[in-house]
Amino acid sequence: MAGSAEAAAQGREPPAGGAARSGKRAAPAGAETLQPAKLSRAELYKPPTSEELSQLKETEDLFHSSLLRLQIEELLKEVTLKETKKKKIDAFLHEINSLLSAVPETPETELTDQAWLPRGVKVPFLQVPFSVKGKFRFLPPAELRVVGSYLLGTCIKPEINVDLAVTMPREIFQDKDNLNQRYHRKRALYLAHIAHHLSKEKLFGSMKFAYMNSNHLKPILLLRPQGKDEKMVTVRLHACPAPDLFKPSRFYPSKNNVRTAWFMEQSAPKEGATESPTPHYNNSILCDTVLLSHLHLLCSAAADFPGMKDGVALLKVWLNQRQLSKGLGCFSGFLVSMLVAYLLMKRKIVKMMSGYQVLRSTLQFLATTDLSVTGISLVKDVDASLPVLDDFHQAFEVVFVDPSGMVNLCADMTASKYHQVQFEAKRSMEILDDRMVDGFQVLLMTAKPMLRTFDHVFHLKHVSKLQGACKKMQLLNELMDRGGNYVAAALPFLVSLLVRGLAGRALLVAHSLPQIPEWSIDAEPPKHKDVGPLLFGILFVPECAASVLEKGPQADHPEALDFRTFWGEKSELRRFQDGSICEAVVWEADSICQKRLIPEQIVRHLLKLHADIPESSICYVGALLESVIRTGKEAFGTGEEAMVSVICSYDDLSRKLWNLKGLPLTVTAVQGVHPALRYTDVFPPIPMKPIYSFHTQIKTKHLLLPSEEKPCPAFIAPLKIICHMEGSGQWPQDKEAIKRIKAAFHLQLAELLQQQHQLVCRPAVTHTDVYKDGYVFRLQVAYHREPLILKEVVTPEGMLKYQDTEESRQLELETLHLPYLTSSLHGLQQQHPVFGSTCRLAKRWISAQLLSDNISEECMDLLVAFLFLHPAPFTAPSSPQVGFLRFLDLLATFDWKNNPLIVNLNSGLTDADYTEIKNKFVAARSRLPVMFIATPKDQWSSMWTQERPSAQILQRLIVLASESLRALEEQLLDPLNSQDVKMVFRPPLDFYDVLIHLNPNQIPRHLEGVDRPLKSFSRGVVKNSSSVKILFPVVDYDPVQCYLQELRDAFSDLALFFYDKHGGEVIAVLWKPLSFQPQPFKVSSMKGRMMTTRNNDLVCVPNVEAILEDFEVLGEGLVKSVEARTEKWTI
């Protein structure tokens, strides 16, 4: 910000009394803006001026905080042009002006005879069909005027465009130039000749052609200065006709100016054929005639109205962040300025308003007005001869008429694009009114690319297929109107088709804006297909998106026929429970993840049926990532069903525990704490029964042990459940005694479950394992006063006092906080059905990056919960993929150093709590964990991130997340390349010092790897079986985890160990740099070290060869090989 203050200081006038400033910049001017002024006592206590009072009042009324006001002022400083730049740009414009008036004339030739154009320039216009009547000669421009945002002061960085209107003299036009693209071709030739002449000049760094807003009928010439100023400004030359050249009534929306016979290249028009109107064509000519009148309107609106300049700049930033301001049919900055002028005319805005008020009023208007139904007009005096709004509504989807009463400013916009703007405006108003959200950050500083905004996106890969679509939908008139541009002609029809087909499922169906890049003046102009793939986005209504039934009208109703033609052979008659017989469409889908993809079936079916677009041209990227959490060999779905059956089994067990007879104390609460019981376990447990031949049996104890000859048995995770017992005076007050009582309870629970419900149980001191329905549940008894008793400490004076101990903290976490978190997140899953799958994708990614041991599962669940509870500026995700992309974005962009992440579970926090948490966080920052997460039940301690991640791991996570997000979005946006989205789940291993390769038959979760092994080992269990009489299976046995624990115990001072617990075949080791520095010899610290002499001193250094040998010895049978990357480090 200092830079902008200096620039402002540079642009100041010299002080009135003294002489003009010398060449050097006066130091005090730059310095005084940055240092607090010393005020005398009288000045300090001076009453505020009326201006200061009104500012304070405004801040209090309008902004939630004075911070918002300051943020907006800073943003405006950043995006507006500095005075020094303006001077440079003005000088550049003067030079262009003098060059343009000196362009030489050319002799008159036929329009089709373009031999006079030199080789280095091609006509920037698609001349199809080529033959056209008329003559052309070049005469120097009659007038040059700067139009557009530069004069108003509303153009914003990073792209500064200055629009220059070049008026073509009247003499070069003939009578019927309004017909058959003659005017457009003259305009293109005029620009081509100027381009050829200016290309000889040294003044320009680059000279390109472009289409104005990607409209093929409107080429413009772009000029940029040379040298380091090339990025500074783009001057856009617009050729426009002499005033009053055409009779305006020829261009009303109902008139035709493109003849079918000419367009179809027929020799004579058909008998009695009527020509249909060409409103878009007419509009494109009229636009050129009103450039100056629009400028006058905006200048008079902006006169003595500083708020307008700021408001328009903010609105442009808002549109840019939402990708709405560029391309064919965009909501451009010019359109926003005209809208503000309209609101000023209608007195919805007054000239007293600040920029922020202008932003709010405009968003409010957009949110509540649908221009595709009720258009608006800037015409002041009604003239009976002008077309009325209804005429415009018949010709265009969105209507906003300019002051002349003839031009529709939204001619190219589709209704779908306007509805997207409207949706964004509604959402933005909600965000501005929500005190819990930092509105500035969310609305103006957060980009909303389509991939992260919409739940599902799909590409139309080959745009050229739209030619066939135009044929199928009989859009010849639209094609003539759009100058042959089949993309623009077919797009509105395609979108309205999808909107109808997805009605009820989708809140919004949007499309990307077709954009054509600029091209050099010696190249052929781009064809219609050069817009590249079109991207469509669908935003779901979460509860209806996955329904398998599309119910139509009753069979005998007249609408039934329409329904049948719309859905084609998919529609069939069905009888419903209420006895009605209706048309209906039923979609095939077995698992939940297939139901989520029903919209894909709808899209493919409708586009094939109505627009002849083959399936191969549609690349649907709604659920590509879900393959990494697939379970089972066959495409069995993504485990949601397995989760539900685990939870049913758990509910049944908890009911049995409640009703157990014969316990001395009753069970007061049963609470699950395992991630599977809150839907966030990456691979949910599958019911299993052991095969005895794969195990060694210990008959006396009814136990099984893993057999040494066979592969390691499948991993069976115990699902932990906390059983709270009621309080009673009989509970002892001594911590050791409590443990014994709990052990007795564990024994008795096992006995009673076996007697009353025939469940196989295995009691232990700290828990009882219960085998039920093929799952193993681990019951742990809890007594509510135990944590308090663990906190008791007797001081040397014999006083009893309470303080947190490690043991009491751990117990509270397990028996109080974890059950609360699990039930809250279980509730969140009921509101947002894709919460669990999003969590699982996020955890799968962290695990694939080998970091799952460095960040707790609960912390990950809370990060994902944040995306669902506080989705602004987006809506809550309705597909796991978009949730995962936003998770990566949150990790990569959240400012962990300066902000706490507040997850408002069950809306337990008020805005006062928010402020208090933030203030305390800032005050105590240095003592708090690097990643601070606050929840309603844990506002100050961030218990889930206390120990981990460390600062280095968090930094690594941020780098990995931003790289993964970039790579993934690049892949998803490029439908023409093959999409192996698993790339971001394969970690780079060249970062590590040693790799320990493991033997796959001893990895129990081998099948969970990101890249599924082609062949795996029989793991000694029957899946999906839930027999009752069995020997107890081996529980919670993962040799790799045991090995890792031993490695960490032995070598944690020398190295860090990383592993992907979901079937990883490699343990990666990173040496700690400090432990490799030579240390003085001490007998006590000789573990893993050896003696050497350095500079005649005895020192210890790590004995790396012995350590690597130890790695192999410790993991005998599990370790395949140890690979030392010695090129990265030396001993």
Side-chain angles (χ1 to χ4, degrees):
M1 298 301 163
S4 47
E6 280 172 13
Q10 271 176 300
R12 285 203 183 133
E13 295 297 305
R21 271 216 306 271
S22 60
K24 284 188 182 170
R25 192 166 86 237
E32 84 189 8
T33 52
L34 298 175
Q35 279 158 3
K38 292 269 192 292
L39 296 176
S40 67
R41 194 183 168 112
E43 280 198 321
L44 257 177
Y45 293 102
K46 193 170 68 175
T49 62
S50 63
E51 194 175 302
E52 287 170 336
L53 274 172
S54 75
Q55 263 205 335
L56 287 168
K57 177 92 180 84
E58 187 184 58
T59 304
E60 192 182 334
D61 291 348
L62 286 178
F63 300 90
H64 292 325
S65 63
S66 46
L67 180 64
L68 179 59
R69 174 176 210 128
L70 295 171
Q71 285 171 319
I72 284 181
E73 283 168 6
E74 279 302 325
L75 173 71
L76 287 169
K77 262 188 223 162
E78 284 296 302
V79 297
T80 43
L81 263 180
K82 310 275 182 297
E83 280 303 318
T84 43
K85 283 266 171 69
K86 279 190 185 160
K87 283 182 183 146
K88 277 187 184 172
I89 293 175
D90 289 343
F92 184 52
L93 287 172
H94 279 300
E95 292 185 51
I96 293 178
N97 197 357
S98 53
L99 285 173
L100 282 177
S101 46
V103 179
E105 299 182 11
T106 64
E108 187 164 78
T109 57
E110 286 292 321
L111 253 182
T112 46
D113 170 19
Q114 294 164 5
W116 58 273
L117 255 182
R119 282 250 173 91
V121 179
K122 297 274 198 305
V123 183
F125 195 85
L126 290 173
Q127 304 181 57
V128 184
F130 184 70
S131 65
V132 66
K133 294 178 185 161
K135 295 186 165 43
F136 176 78
R137 60 186 289 213
F138 183 91
L139 296 171
E143 187 183 16
L144 292 170
R145 290 288 293 270
V146 174
V147 292
S149 57
Y150 179 66
L151 284 184
L152 296 171
T154 58
C155 58
I156 61 165
K157 294 191 246 181
E159 292 177 20
I160 300 293
N161 293 319
V162 179
D163 295 299
L164 200 55
V166 180
T167 307
M168 301 181 277
R170 182 180 298 264
E171 292 78 33
I172 69 174
F173 292 104
Q174 282 95 27
D175 251 0
K176 290 191 168 174
D177 277 352
N178 56 314
L179 294 178
N180 301 351
Q181 301 184 0
R182 289 183 211 175
Y183 162 75
H184 292 98
R185 296 190 185 190
K186 287 190 175 177
R187 194 177 167 281
L189 286 166
Y190 198 85
L191 286 173
H193 183 65
I194 290 180
H196 163 65
H197 189 72
L198 296 184
S199 61
K200 304 171 189 151
E201 298 295 332
K202 294 273 188 294
L203 174 66
F204 304 109
S206 83
M207 189 178 301
K208 300 269 180 79
F209 283 127
Y211 291 131
M212 181 62 189
N213 284 336
S214 296
N215 183 346
H216 282 264
L217 297 174
K218 287 302 213 18
I220 49 178
L221 179 60
L222 309 179
L223 306 171
R224 297 190 176 93
Q226 61 164 5
K228 63 178 196 302
D229 286 339
E230 185 176 344
K231 297 262 187 317
M232 174 177 78
V233 65
T234 303
V235 175
R236 309 195 284 192
L237 295 192
H238 302 259
C240 57
D244 309 325
L245 173 68
F246 297 121
K247 223 159 111 194
S249 59
R250 280 183 182 171
F251 297 111
Y252 285 174
S254 55
K255 295 285 171 48
N256 168 285
N257 282 301
V258 182
R259 305 290 189 248
T260 317
W262 170 78
F263 188 75
M264 303 298 289
E265 299 188 80
Q266 298 157 345
S267 49
K270 283 186 185 158
E271 286 293 310
T274 53
E275 297 284 355
S276 58
T278 51
H280 290 91
Y281 174 93
N282 302 348
N283 206 70
S284 71
I285 298 181
L286 281 173
C287 279
D288 288 351
T289 63
V290 290
L291 288 173
L292 285 176
S293 65
H294 290 170
L295 180 70
H296 294 316
L297 171 81
L298 291 175
C299 283
S300 69
D304 42 280
F305 182 9
M308 172 164 173
K309 189 173 129 184
D310 294 350
V312 169
L314 289 174
L315 281 160
K316 283 185 178 180
V317 172
W318 182 83
L319 287 165
N320 284 347
Q321 294 288 35
R322 281 155 186 70
Q323 296 184 341
L324 295 168
S325 59
K326 274 198 195 111
L328 182 67
C330 62
F331 206 101
S332 62
F334 164 69
L335 200 52
V336 155
S337 313
M338 293 299 267
L339 185 60
V340 172
Y342 169 80
L343 294 175
L344 187 68
M345 182 179 103
K346 290 284 182 225
R347 303 222 166 84
K348 295 250 171 56
I349 287 180
V350 290
K351 290 202 169 187
M352 297 288 293
M353 286 187 175
S354 67
Y356 175 69
Q357 282 169 300
V358 171
L359 171 77
R360 275 195 73 120
S361 307
T362 312
L363 289 180
Q364 180 61 36
F365 176 79
L366 282 171
T368 52
T369 317
D370 187 350
L371 296 185
S372 65
V373 181
T374 48
I376 53 175
S377 166
L378 275 159
V379 179
K380 287 211 173 76
D381 315 310
V382 181
D383 177 351
S385 66
L386 287 176
V388 290
L389 278 178
D390 280 349
D391 298 343
F392 283 103
H393 273 298
Q394 276 173 354
F396 304 103
E397 290 204 317
V398 186
V399 177
F400 177 13
V401 181
D402 85 321
S404 71
M406 291 178 297
V407 179
N408 179 14
L409 301 171
C410 295
D412 289 331
M413 194 181 294
T414 61
S416 144
K417 195 43 72 181
Y418 182 76
H419 290 145
Q420 189 188 346
V421 173
Q422 201 181 4
F423 180 83
E424 289 290 355
K426 276 186 191 144
R427 186 84 192 93
S428 300
M429 287 308 290
E430 287 163 21
I431 290 167
L432 283 176
D433 293 335
D434 182 355
R435 287 177 173 275
M436 307 266 196
V437 180
D438 175 359
F440 171 78
Q441 188 64 33
V442 162
L443 285 196
L444 299 171
M445 303 304 279
T446 311
K448 289 192 68 174
M450 282 184 79
L451 271 182
R452 265 180 270 151
T453 305
F454 292 97
D455 295 316
H456 279 188
V457 290
F458 65 92
H459 300 269
L460 190 59
K461 279 199 285 204
H462 315 114
V463 186
S464 50
K465 292 280 186 270
L466 290 177
Q467 278 171 291
C470 287
K471 256 203 190 96
K472 172 93 173 172
M473 300 199 224
Q474 299 167 337
L475 299 179
L476 174 66
N477 297 337
E478 281 74 9
L479 271 175
M480 282 168 38
D481 189 15
R482 303 271 193 169
N485 183 350
Y486 47 84
V487 181
L491 193 59
F493 292 91
L494 285 191
V495 178
S496 58
L497 186 71
L498 295 174
V499 168
R500 180 175 167 190
L502 294 164
R505 294 172 194 271
L507 276 173
L508 194 62
V509 178
H511 57 87
S512 62
L513 295 162
Q515 278 188 48
I516 295 212
E518 50 196 58
W519 68 97
S520 65
I521 58 173
D522 56 356
E524 290 290 341
K527 307 275 192 293
H528 301 302
K529 63 170 191 287
D530 294 339
V531 293
L534 280 178
L535 183 63
F536 293 82
I538 310 171
L539 200 57
F540 292 132
V541 180
E543 45 280 4
C544 315
S547 100
V548 280
L549 179 77
E550 215 58 71
K551 189 174 173 185
Q554 290 199 4
D556 48 0
H557 282 204
E559 301 92 64
L561 180 65
D562 183 37
F563 185 85
R564 277 199 298 276
T565 34
F566 184 72
W567 290 107
E569 78 281 0
K570 288 266 184 205
S571 173
E572 54 192 33
L573 282 178
R574 289 208 161 217
R575 189 187 197 111
F576 288 88
Q577 282 176 334
D578 59 1
S580 62
I581 297 175
C582 297
E583 290 288 342
V585 180
V586 179
W587 302 99
E588 291 288 312
D590 302 327
S591 60
I592 294 181
C593 74
Q594 285 173 325
K595 283 185 184 165
R596 275 203 295 270
L597 283 174
I598 287 178
E600 174 177 8
Q601 295 186 40
I602 295 178
V603 166
R604 288 181 185 279
H605 172 70
L606 289 177
L607 291 183
K608 179 84 190 79
L609 179 69
H610 294 286
D612 264 349
I613 294 173
E615 301 228 345
S616 57
S617 295
I618 297 169
C619 173
Y620 201 95
V621 288
L624 285 183
L625 284 174
E626 294 177 29
S627 57
V628 292
I629 52 171
R630 280 266 152 83
T631 50
K633 284 203 178 78
E634 55 292 345
F636 190 69
T638 45
E640 281 103 338
E641 292 79 8
M643 288 279 187
V644 175
S645 74
V646 172
I647 287 175
C648 289
S649 178
Y650 155 74
D651 287 341
D652 184 49
L653 179 64
S654 59
R655 272 194 295 279
K656 289 185 166 137
L657 286 167
W658 284 94
N659 301 327
L660 271 187
K661 298 187 175 53
L663 273 176
L665 294 175
T666 55
V667 175
T668 56
V670 178
Q671 294 172 316
V673 295
H674 189 273
L677 302 176
R678 53 177 185 261
Y679 297 94
T680 66
D681 197 13
V682 180
F683 291 101
I686 295 169
M688 296 184 194
K689 163 190 159 212
I691 299 172
Y692 297 161
S693 64
F694 274 71
H695 299 74
T696 325
Q697 299 184 22
I698 303 179
K699 282 282 166 42
T700 51
K701 294 191 174 170
H702 297 291
L703 287 186
L704 297 175
L705 285 181
S707 156
E708 285 185 24
E709 294 80 53
K710 295 278 183 5
C712 166
F715 182 74
I716 297 181
L719 306 171
K720 195 162 165 191
I721 296 177
I722 305 289
C723 250
H724 287 272
M725 292 298 183
E726 67 178 330
S728 143
Q730 305 292 310
W731 279 97
Q733 299 300 308
D734 173 64
K735 56 184 177 187
E736 286 308 315
I738 289 180
K739 281 180 188 162
R740 309 258 163 107
I741 296 278
K742 277 163 61 178
F745 266 121
H746 290 135
L747 284 166
Q748 188 157 21
L749 278 173
E751 200 177 306
L752 293 173
L753 283 169
Q754 236 153 353
Q755 278 171 17
Q756 294 172 26
H757 299 290
Q758 293 74 50
L759 294 173
V760 185
C761 301
R762 192 173 65 190
V765 177
T766 51
H767 58 262
T768 282
D769 283 346
V770 180
Y771 177 85
K772 175 179 188 302
D773 304 333
Y775 305 110
V776 174
F777 293 96
R778 177 160 286 182
L779 303 182
Q780 186 178 326
V781 168
Y783 166 48
H784 67 97
R785 290 208 48 210
E786 188 181 7
L788 195 66
I789 291 166
L790 288 177
K791 288 181 188 178
E792 288 178 2
V793 181
V794 181
T795 60
E797 295 82 52
M799 297 286 287
L800 188 66
K801 71 173 193 173
Y802 292 97
Q803 67 184 40
D804 277 349
T805 60
E806 192 46 52
E807 202 180 356
S808 75
R809 239 196 312 255
Q810 192 52 41
L811 191 71
E812 269 186 336
L813 207 64
E814 277 185 10
T815 58
L816 288 174
H817 299 299
L818 198 48
Y820 169 73
L821 180 71
T822 302
S823 65
S824 300
L825 295 178
H826 183 284
L828 189 63
Q829 166 73 23
Q830 308 306 322
Q831 292 167 329
H832 301 285
V834 298
F835 164 70
S837 307
T838 306
C839 264
R840 293 165 55 211
L841 270 178
K843 288 183 189 175
R844 185 70 196 91
W845 177 80
I846 292 249
S847 180
Q849 305 303 332
L850 313 183
L851 296 173
S852 54
D853 290 338
N854 296 286
I855 177 165
S856 67
E857 289 231 357
E858 293 75 26
C859 163
M860 307 273 304
D861 289 346
L862 283 170
L863 285 175
V864 176
F866 177 81
L867 299 171
F868 285 84
L869 292 166
H870 313 282
F874 304 101
T875 47
S878 285
S879 81
Q881 181 166 297
V882 78
F884 176 65
L885 290 172
R886 289 188 207 164
F887 165 78
L888 292 179
D889 183 54
L890 173 71
L891 262 187
T893 58
F894 190 81
D895 182 0
W896 297 104
K897 191 173 170 197
N898 301 315
N899 287 309
L901 186 82
I902 304 177
V903 185
N904 196 356
L905 291 169
N906 304 335
S907 309
L909 296 169
T910 60
D911 46 350
D913 295 334
Y914 264 65
T915 316
E916 192 184 357
I917 291 173
K918 283 178 181 159
N919 293 344
K920 284 198 179 174
F921 170 82
V922 171
R925 182 64 189 111
S926 54
R927 299 192 299 280
L928 297 171
V930 287
M931 185 187 245
F932 187 90
I933 300 180
T935 60
K937 288 269 197 276
D938 168 32
Q939 297 183 21
W940 316 119
S941 68
S942 185
M943 61 178 74
W944 309 113
T945 59
Q946 281 280 307
E947 312 295 325
R948 50 198 185 157
S950 63
Q952 295 85 341
I953 293 287
L954 181 62
Q955 194 46 49
R956 173 98 179 128
L957 260 178
I958 290 171
V959 171
L960 284 169
S962 65
E963 272 308 295
S964 298
L965 184 66
R966 189 192 55 72
L968 199 53
E969 296 204 325
E970 218 168 83
Q971 280 177 316
L972 295 177
L973 280 175
D974 182 12
L976 300 171
N977 285 348
S978 65
Q979 304 192 315
D980 183 12
V981 288
K982 286 186 174 179
M983 190 175 84
V984 298
F985 288 85
R986 297 188 190 109
L989 292 175
D990 42 9
F991 171 78
Y992 299 100
D993 298 324
V994 179
L995 299 179
I996 304 175
H997 295 278
L998 305 175
N999 187 352
N1001 70 353
Q1002 293 301 329
I1003 305 175
R1005 310 190 217 183
H1006 191 219
L1007 275 177
E1008 294 176 5
V1010 170
D1011 295 298
R1012 299 204 109 193
L1014 291 173
K1015 59 178 204 298
S1016 189
F1017 304 89
S1018 172
R1019 295 275 172 210
V1021 290
V1022 181
K1023 293 217 172 128
N1024 297 324
S1025 157
S1026 51
S1027 58
V1028 185
K1029 286 279 178 222
I1030 61 152
L1031 294 177
F1032 214 86
V1034 178
V1035 175
D1036 205 13
Y1037 173 59
D1038 187 344
V1040 190
Q1041 293 298 333
C1042 307
Y1043 175 53
L1044 267 173
Q1045 197 48 55
E1046 286 183 17
L1047 288 177
R1048 285 180 179 139
D1049 292 345
F1051 303 109
S1052 58
D1053 53 338
L1054 294 169
L1056 296 167
F1057 298 91
F1058 301 92
Y1059 177 64
D1060 173 3
K1061 65 182 180 192
H1062 295 293
E1065 294 186 10
V1066 140
I1067 293 177
V1069 186
L1070 203 55
W1071 297 125
K1072 291 188 172 175
L1074 288 175
S1075 59
F1076 272 67
Q1077 289 168 355
Q1079 315 226 328
F1081 168 63
K1082 274 198 201 133
V1083 177
S1084 58
S1085 62
M1086 278 304 289
K1087 189 167 113 188
R1089 298 175 186 276
M1090 62 182 186
M1091 307 278 301
T1092 62
T1093 44
R1094 296 256 168 104
N1095 309 340
N1096 300 332
D1097 285 340
L1098 268 185
V1099 289
C1100 303
V1101 293
N1103 183 355
V1104 176
E1105 285 179 16
I1107 291 173
L1108 296 182
E1109 203 178 315
D1110 286 355
F1111 287 172
E1112 290 208 47
V1113 173
L1114 272 176
E1116 190 188 349
L1118 174 63
V1119 173
K1120 197 155 61 174
S1121 63
V1122 174
E1123 174 191 349
R1125 302 278 187 89
T1126 40
E1127 75 273 7
K1128 296 197 57 167
W1129 43 272
T1130 48
I1131 301 164

